[in-house]
Amino acid sequence: MAVSWRNWLANEGVKHLCLLIWLSMNVLLFWKTFLLYNQGPEYHYLHQMLGLGLCLSRASASVLNLNCSLILLPMCRTLLAYFRGSQKVPSRRTRRLLDKSRTFHITCGVTICIFSGVHVAAHLVNALNFSVSYSEDFVELNAARYRNEDPRKLLFTTVPGLTGVCMVVVLFLMITASTYAIRVSNYDIFWYTHNLFFVFYMLLMLHVSGDDWKPYKLRRLYFIWVCRDIQSFRWFADLLCMLHNKFWQENRPDYVNIQLYLSQTDGIQKIIGEKYHALNSRLFIGRPRWKLLFDEIAKYNRGKTVGVFCCGPNSLSKTLHKLSNQNNSYGTRFEYNKESFS
């Protein structure tokens, strides 16, 4: 017999609509979180270290958090009884939908199982990458304490790792005891293991609070300094070295881009002293190629406003002022400011 669409919508329409809304929420949450950790500038260094594992672990965690917050609602019998007997839910279709609460509970449970597997696998890869990719430049970002540290230590000696392992054990007990064979043969096992949900949620709160990965913004300061002789750099070199080391220790090496230009040379092409090694690697002979520099800054700051501050001779001021007023293909706007002493 042919299916009546009117009857199908009356009996199944609301159920499938709710399922579609739930499914859309999961897909949207997973995708938005994945893109955030894959392309977000604040997670650039962490993504360089962990790669796809970072994106999958965080995206799956978002889906897990959503479903862990929903899975208990269908089992709140007092709440369901209140809605069934309340005039606040006048629609019979909506009331019948409440009878599907167990199905929704199972659906959320299966989803939690699947994405727990994805989450665990991604974190196993992350633990290995933390160990292999350890760098002194990213101490605060790296969960490992030294290169090639045993990844198992990250799983069993950290709060996120240890609580995660315990949650997997609890979830495994709840899943296996929920099978039809167990429920039929010994319902008490199913009942008591399902009451471990209280332990699971306590572990979940500890797991989330201990899993704190700090984002770092990629806001950049370009410091361009042009001098005629090498000695002119020395009076400001100590401060620049201090800033450079500070930002590297804070895992923000891209915050300041230092470029030193020596327009004339008498044979000495570096600042004498071991502590100035970081500056010498940023020392160039000649003058800046201002047009290329403006294009580079515009490219990395699409559609944004960039402040330009000039302190120097009028000839340099005019060059930078002119470049600030020119159009670029990236929609970047340069605001020119000057402090001239000549």
Side-chain angles (χ1 to χ4, degrees):
M1 291 179 71
V3 176
S4 170
W5 282 105
R6 174 177 290 183
N7 292 340
W8 186 90
L9 288 174
N11 290 302
E12 310 293 339
V14 177
K15 179 184 70 175
H16 284 83
L17 177 61
C18 291
L19 180 63
L20 180 62
I21 293 173
W22 170 83
L23 183 61
S24 300
M25 289 172 61
N26 280 277
V27 172
L28 180 63
L29 194 57
F30 183 92
W31 185 242
K32 286 191 68 174
T33 308
F34 187 95
L35 289 181
L36 173 63
Y37 283 87
N38 186 55
Q39 301 177 0
E42 62 267 43
Y43 297 104
H44 172 78
Y45 300 114
L46 202 56
H47 184 263
Q48 289 294 312
M49 188 184 304
L50 302 180
L52 186 63
L54 170 67
C55 308
L56 288 176
S57 64
R58 305 318 297 165
S60 58
S62 297
V63 175
L64 287 171
N65 290 337
L66 172 64
N67 286 275
C68 284
S69 64
L70 294 177
I71 193 170
L72 292 181
L73 293 178
M75 295 294 103
C76 295
R77 297 186 180 278
T78 303
L79 183 64
L80 294 177
Y82 170 77
F83 281 122
R84 284 193 182 101
S86 173
Q87 296 301 319
K88 294 181 179 179
V89 186
S91 173
R92 284 184 298 172
R93 295 179 184 178
T94 305
R95 290 188 184 186
R96 287 200 345 249
L97 184 64
L98 298 176
D99 296 332
K100 302 292 184 180
S101 58
R102 180 176 173 273
T103 303
F104 184 66
H105 175 79
I106 295 173
T107 303
C108 289
V110 172
T111 304
I112 290 174
C113 294
I114 294 173
F115 281 92
S116 291
V118 176
H119 190 70
V120 169
H123 269 314
L124 290 176
V125 176
N126 289 340
L128 179 62
N129 285 333
F130 270 133
S131 176
V132 173
S133 305
Y134 179 85
S135 172
E136 295 289 345
D137 298 328
F138 301 99
V139 175
E140 292 186 6
L141 279 181
N142 205 314
R145 291 168 294 181
Y146 51 86
R147 181 177 289 276
N148 294 325
E149 182 180 7
D150 190 345
R152 288 173 293 185
K153 289 184 178 180
L154 303 181
L155 298 177
F156 296 102
T157 62
T158 61
V159 173
L162 189 57
T163 54
V165 171
C166 293
M167 288 169 66
V168 169
V169 173
V170 172
L171 185 62
F172 176 78
L173 293 175
M174 296 175 68
I175 294 169
T176 53
S178 300
T179 58
Y180 179 77
I182 296 294
R183 285 189 286 114
V184 170
S185 61
N186 196 326
Y187 188 83
D188 286 344
I189 294 177
F190 163 75
W191 173 254
Y192 287 116
T193 54
H194 246 59
N195 277 286
L196 289 173
F197 79 90
F198 181 77
V199 177
F200 181 85
Y201 278 92
M202 290 295 293
L203 290 170
L204 178 60
M205 287 188 287
L206 291 173
H207 184 75
V208 173
S209 62
D211 192 5
D212 181 20
W213 286 344
K214 300 178 181 178
Y216 292 87
K217 293 291 183 178
L218 274 182
R219 295 172 181 172
R220 174 174 289 190
L221 170 67
Y222 285 83
F223 182 84
I224 316 298
W225 194 7
V226 184
C227 289
R228 292 180 179 177
D229 58 87
I230 198 71
Q231 298 302 322
S232 300
F233 290 117
R234 293 189 66 89
W235 71 275
F236 205 50
D238 288 333
L239 178 59
L240 291 178
C241 284
M242 183 189 72
L243 287 174
H244 174 270
N245 294 332
K246 177 178 182 294
F247 290 128
W248 271 88
Q249 291 172 2
E250 294 177 355
N251 300 315
R252 295 190 294 165
D254 282 348
Y255 183 84
V256 58
N257 184 307
I258 301 173
Q259 297 183 25
L260 308 179
Y261 289 87
L262 185 61
S263 59
Q264 298 179 11
T265 176
D266 55 1
I268 302 177
Q269 299 184 4
K270 67 178 182 178
I271 307 173
I272 305 301
E274 181 65 27
K275 64 179 180 180
Y276 301 124
H277 175 73
L279 294 185
N280 286 324
S281 63
R282 290 159 175 76
L283 180 61
F284 305 94
I285 306 300
R287 296 182 180 276
R289 302 174 68 178
W290 294 112
K291 182 64 171 67
L292 291 179
L293 184 60
F294 269 70
D295 288 342
E296 177 188 349
I297 296 174
K299 180 180 179 181
Y300 286 101
N301 295 273
R302 298 171 184 264
K304 298 180 181 179
T305 300
V306 177
V308 179
F309 300 87
C310 174
C311 180
N314 285 330
S315 58
L316 175 61
S317 177
K318 290 179 181 178
T319 300
L320 298 184
H321 196 173
K322 181 179 179 181
L323 288 171
S324 297
N325 291 333
Q326 289 182 357
N327 291 325
N328 60 79
S329 57
Y330 306 103
T332 307
R333 185 165 64 95
F334 291 95
E335 288 186 351
Y336 181 74
N337 306 269
K338 77 169 182 175
E339 180 72 34
S340 183
F341 296 102
S342 59

